[in-house]
Amino acid sequence: MQSPTKRHLKATVVSVGSFLLFGVVTGLIPNPIYVRMVPRTPVDYFFLVLTAGFLGFFTLQRTSHRGADDKTATTGAILGFLAFGCPICNVFLLALFSSSALMTYLDPLRPVLGVVSVALFAGLVYTRSQRPCDSCTVESEQRNAHQ
């Protein structure tokens, strides 16, 4: 298991990195590469900050045991991305649906997707915080074996 300072540093890098990456890719952070076609709203920034923060916190809590937690975090990140991303700027969605369908059906659902994303991340962080840490379990098993 990594030392606490390395884990905190890694979580900070993931959080800040995902904020910058998602912010630039979605046009919430103005840049010359990407022009956002839908106006930015405070809710978009709110979900961007929450998604990046939860990704960092998940990284801080993450252990070597992989399972459903990674799938839940991935789903939360995707829903978060859809919540603050430009609905008609997403090439993949635009290839599947028309721009009018995206603006009619996806755009009004973006806040709901953001709330579901936050709920998934909050539930994940809560359930992970209720589990005993791996190093604590290993240390207690070693102490019991030596007694």
Side-chain angles (χ1 to χ4, degrees):
M1 180 159 229
Q2 295 178 354
S3 68
T5 54
K6 284 185 180 181
R7 287 181 37 230
H8 284 88
L9 179 62
K10 184 177 179 181
T12 302
V13 167
V14 166
S15 187
V16 171
S18 61
F19 177 83
L20 292 174
L21 177 68
F22 289 161
V24 168
V25 169
T26 60
L28 288 175
I29 297 174
N31 62 77
I33 300 169
Y34 180 81
V35 177
R36 188 176 172 96
M37 296 181 200
V38 174
R40 298 167 183 90
T41 65
V43 173
D44 294 333
Y45 288 103
F46 177 70
F47 287 128
L48 172 62
V49 168
L50 284 178
T51 301
F54 274 126
L55 283 172
F57 200 72
F58 173 74
T59 303
L60 180 66
Q61 285 186 329
R62 190 167 188 270
T63 62
S64 60
H65 300 295
R66 293 189 173 129
D69 292 352
D70 287 349
K71 292 177 184 175
T72 305
T74 301
T75 303
I78 291 169
L79 289 175
F81 184 80
L82 290 174
F84 57 78
C86 173
I88 60 173
C89 305
N90 187 324
V91 176
F92 180 71
L93 290 177
L94 202 52
L96 292 175
F97 309 103
S98 67
S99 61
S100 61
L102 289 172
M103 289 304 292
T104 303
Y105 300 109
L106 179 64
D107 194 44
L109 289 177
R110 289 186 318 131
V112 174
L113 295 174
V115 169
V116 171
S117 169
V118 169
L120 280 173
F121 272 125
L124 179 62
V125 166
Y126 176 75
T127 57
R128 291 182 66 83
S129 70
Q130 298 304 308
R131 295 181 196 159
C133 70
D134 288 342
S135 62
C136 302
T137 306
V138 170
E139 288 174 10
S140 66
E141 288 173 0
Q142 288 174 349
R143 270 184 290 188
N144 291 338
H146 292 295
Q147 290 179 356

